Amino acid sequence: MNILVLNCGSSSVKFQLLEMTKEQVMAKGLVERIGAGQARIKYKTGTDKIVREPAEITDHTTAIDYIIRMLTASEQQVIESTDDIDAVGHRVVHGGESFAGSMLIDDEVYAKLQECIPLAPLHNPANIKGIDAVGELMPTVDQAGVFDTAFHQSMPRTSYLYALPLWVYERYGVRRYGFHGTSHRYVAARCAELEGRDPAGLKIITCHLGNGASVAAVDGGISLDTSMGFTPLEGLVMGSRCGDIDPAIPLFLQREENLSAEEVDSLLNRQSGVKGLSEGEFIDMRDIEDRYFEKDPRCTEILEIYCYRIRKYIGAYAAAMGGLDAVVFTAGVGENSPITRKLVCDPLGFLGLELDDEANDAAAPGSGFEGRVTAADSRVGVWVIPTNEELVIARDTKELVEKQRR
Ligand code: ADP
């Protein structure tokens, strides 16, 4: 079975075609700058990479059509026709309270996705455009939605309710949803597998540290709590998002600086975090890290603030779960930054966690490292596990399609 996985953003489409018997990636890539006059497509198979800048990509349908043509009719084609695509799995950002798991997209699910647009006004419309485009280009193919929020639907009310007047939740669904669920779910399950233990008996804290970043408390295989909230703004210090702040600050800024709601939104989401602390100079953690090693005081402080926030969440979630067996680091920073893991973990000896510096340093960029980076007698294991959201989307899609065909 071949599954096409699509991750549609407002101006980009990322894709992977997976052959599911061996779970192998046949081709992958992305189309970016959709509708901006000059799109760019990067297309990669096992052997080759193609980069093109076609002018005609004006929307998601033309982008996905171009991807299909690359897959079926380019010099690097990997299949003969769309008949060789058995199903399409979409990453969908927000499933609200409707979806606690992945779903085949039928009329009812499609309607619910539209109902979720107010909760993710930037993301869900792009995901829906991708679903529409596939419906147009491959009308008979099964499509599934895999939701960033679904894994966290197991959170109890004590984790997800904010202490606002209850009508704010009841009228508008304002509550903690959490994101990166597909990644947290994958790495927590993989950690249990690598530990050779039943997930039901494990208390795991998963740290997804990419451009956006979140921590989750995974207790017995299910999400008990997570740091992103009603939107992906809450929680950790991120590339350009502030994470946790006193909620009175936006109101103060609105008054003192005469800012509109949109301007405050932009300040918190696009001008804060690492970018804000570096006065707009850096957003990429590699730049911060390089300067940390050069003893640049500002970047040292930024990395320390970044790591301190992660450490606070680890402490909080160990308390929330009443114990801790493992901490997992994943995504761009989590997988590639030994210094971040060290600054987070070294002060956590009191939790029974002792990093093995050599193993930690071995989990470096380009190593593809997957494994434990703690000393043999460390009670709590620290793991570096490369995330693989596309694989989870493909597996879920395959399972749903097979169940339907049975
Ligand atoms: P997203 O999918 O959220 O865009 P990724 O998971 O790809 O993000 O992570 C992107 C982040 O990972 C960037 O901030 C980038 O700087 C960081 N990153 C990648 N490689 C390294 C590295 N070697 N050291 C530190 N940070 C890294």
Side-chain angles (χ1 to χ4, degrees), residues 210-212 284-286 289 331-333 336-337 365:
N211 215 342
D284 194 309
M285 283 308 282
R286 277 168 289 206
E289 232 184 63
V333 182
N336 292 304
S337 176

Side-chain angles (χ1 to χ4, degrees), residues 97-213:
E97 290 185 320
S98 301
F99 304 115
S102 305
M103 300 291 288
L104 280 180
I105 297 165
D106 56 16
D107 291 348
E108 200 182 323
V109 171
Y110 187 86
K112 289 230 165 87
L113 286 182
Q114 285 187 311
E115 281 170 28
C116 290
I117 289 177
L119 295 173
L122 297 178
H123 293 100
N124 272 33
N127 301 150
I128 291 172
K129 277 185 193 161
I131 294 165
D132 290 341
V134 172
E136 216 173 295
L137 297 163
M138 295 185 271
T140 55
V141 83
D142 284 320
Q143 302 195 60
V146 179
F147 307 93
D148 264 27
T149 48
F151 181 58
H152 301 302
Q153 277 297 301
S154 53
M155 285 188 292
R157 271 168 79 90
T158 35
S159 300
Y160 74 68
L161 271 190
Y162 293 114
L164 292 165
L166 205 54
W167 63 260
V168 178
Y169 166 59
E170 286 168 350
R171 198 177 304 167
Y172 295 109
V174 173
R175 50 159 281 181
R176 176 181 312 287
Y177 289 99
F179 299 88
H180 295 143
T182 311
S183 177
H184 288 296
R185 175 180 143 207
Y186 172 77
V187 297
R190 184 80 184 126
C191 175
E193 193 179 327
L194 293 168
E195 287 251 17
R197 290 180 57 189
D198 183 353
L202 287 175
K203 296 178 187 301
I204 304 176
I205 294 176
T206 49
C207 307
H208 177 109
L209 310 177
N211 215 342

